[in-house]
């Protein structure tokens, strides 16, 4: 993993769209499918979830 141990990065493998959910799952120590499910369910609520995902996509570095 690139950067500091436990850093927030988008993985090269195991990603579906941009790797944001997989990177968050790795950082929190949970399964990526759980984070993906929570992300999809959160889209049912009002708020800037899609914007937050796009911002994380841009801000999170790729794994080297």
């Amino acid at each position: 993993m690139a950067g500091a141990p436990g850093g927030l990065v988008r993985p090269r493998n195991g990603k579906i769209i941009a790797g944001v959910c997989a990177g968050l799952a790795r950082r929190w120590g949970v399964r990526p499918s759980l984070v993906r499910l929570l992300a999809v369910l959160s889209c049912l609520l009002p708020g800037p979830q899609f914007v937050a995902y796009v911002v994380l996509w841009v801000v999170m570095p790729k794994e080297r």
Side-chain angles (χ1 to χ4, degrees):
M1 189 151 81
L8 189 57
V9 295
R10 292 184 292 130
R12 300 182 106 193
N13 300 319
K15 63 183 183 176
I16 292 194
I17 296 176
V20 172
C21 290
L24 291 172
R26 182 185 289 179
R27 175 71 171 105
W28 294 331
V30 297
R31 294 188 335 242
S33 58
L34 177 63
V35 177
R36 290 179 187 122
L37 176 66
L38 291 174
V40 169
L41 290 176
S42 76
C43 288
L44 300 175
L45 301 171
Q49 293 85 341
F50 181 74
V51 174
Y53 186 90
V54 172
V55 168
L56 285 173
W57 186 349
V58 172
V59 173
M60 286 174 64
K62 292 181 186 175
E63 182 178 58
R64 292 180 188 230

